[in-house]
Amino acid sequence: MASQTKPVLHGYFRSSCSWRVRIAFALKGVEFDQVPVNLIKDGGQQLTEQYKTLNPMQQVPAVEIDGITLSQSLAVIQYIDETRPGPRLLPADPKKRAQVRMISDLIASGIQPLQNLYVIQKMGAEKMQWAQHFIDRGFQALEPILKETSGTYCVDDEISMADICLVPQVYNAERFKVDLEKYPTIKRLNQTLREIEAFRVSHPSCQPDTPEELRG
């Protein structure tokens, strides 16, 4: 039985991992509170000793839910799926569920960590080329997979954790000026998903900690 206390998301408006969790909550219709963790201000608020108690990796998100604290967005999404009513975020069919996990892991492990803020800050002047290279490399693998698995969404015609991972990653690709014309399936799916309310309300342009100049 889910707790009556609202979950608390400690995150950053432009963090793709935080965005994934916001999408999952929105799809499930779960109300939650947000505590902003500014990854840039004061040298990075995620690096404080106080935040380290919530997430020892000193990354976002950290989610306080049902008396426990979870980090790692895919673990959070799967917990939300298993404990909250509403549309399934992982399919009942084991083959489709494996495909959803494969696509989600490809993005969450194979692409996003290589172009996240911590890595990019280490790259200095080469950060744009670095990010483009690893996003392109990942999308070159993702495109043929999605061509096989997709219907309306990443895996057939139901929204899943794979879609939750895809949209924030495409947002990052656009930020780093990756040419999406090379990836027609990724582009089509992203355009479809961005019209859905849960993806719109969770967008980085409209969060409590979104800077005024980036609001849209």
Side-chain angles (χ1 to χ4, degrees):
M1 180 68 71
S3 164
Q4 296 303 305
T5 306
K6 275 202 278 188
V8 178
L9 167 63
H10 300 259
Y12 182 58
F13 77 103
R14 204 154 59 179
S15 150
S16 56
C17 300
S18 301
W19 187 2
R20 292 172 198 156
V21 175
R22 294 196 302 263
I23 297 167
F25 278 138
L27 286 168
K28 288 283 193 176
V30 175
E31 290 188 6
F32 64 101
D33 290 326
Q34 293 200 58
V35 177
V37 180
N38 194 310
L39 303 185
I40 299 168
K41 189 178 178 184
D42 305 325
Q45 294 174 348
Q46 75 279 16
L47 302 177
T48 64
E49 286 303 314
Q50 182 183 3
Y51 184 74
K52 192 176 181 181
T53 63
L54 287 172
N55 186 338
M57 274 292 282
Q58 297 177 289
Q59 298 172 334
V60 290
V63 178
E64 297 178 89
I65 184 168
D66 301 342
I68 60 173
T69 302
L70 295 172
S71 58
Q72 300 303 322
S73 61
L74 299 194
V76 176
I77 291 164
Q78 290 177 74
Y79 180 78
I80 293 167
D81 195 35
E82 291 166 3
T83 59
R84 266 62 182 176
R88 292 185 67 108
L89 305 180
L90 285 105
D93 177 79
K95 289 180 181 176
K96 290 180 185 176
R97 194 160 65 243
Q99 289 173 326
V100 166
R101 286 181 169 140
M102 171 180 67
I103 293 161
S104 301
D105 280 338
L106 193 158
I107 295 168
S109 301
I111 306 176
Q112 187 271 326
L114 290 159
Q115 43 90 95
N116 76 2
L117 180 66
Y118 184 80
V119 172
I120 289 296
Q121 285 174 333
K122 299 286 185 188
M123 295 310 299
E126 295 177 21
K127 63 184 181 182
M128 183 68 79
Q129 284 175 293
W130 172 276
Q132 286 176 347
H133 171 79
F134 283 105
I135 295 171
D136 265 321
R137 182 173 178 268
F139 278 11
Q140 285 164 16
L142 190 58
E143 175 70 18
I145 290 171
L146 290 173
K147 201 171 177 182
E148 290 293 318
T149 63
S150 65
T152 307
Y153 306 117
C154 284
V155 177
D156 274 0
D157 298 319
E158 292 182 2
I159 293 174
S160 70
M161 184 168 69
D163 302 289
I164 291 172
C165 291
L166 181 71
V167 170
Q169 185 55 62
V170 174
Y171 173 84
N172 282 346
E174 290 171 339
R175 281 182 60 213
F176 289 112
K177 307 289 190 287
V178 171
D179 179 12
L180 292 176
E181 296 304 320
K182 297 184 289 186
Y183 311 111
T185 311
I186 291 173
K187 185 179 176 183
R188 170 182 66 81
L189 291 166
N190 182 63
Q191 287 173 336
T192 299
L193 289 161
R194 279 173 54 169
E195 295 302 313
I196 294 166
E197 179 72 5
F199 290 82
R200 289 210 311 267
V201 300
S202 59
H203 193 276
S205 65
C206 57
Q207 299 313 304
D209 58 328
T210 306
E212 203 56 47
E213 66 272 16
L214 297 177
R215 290 190 170 274

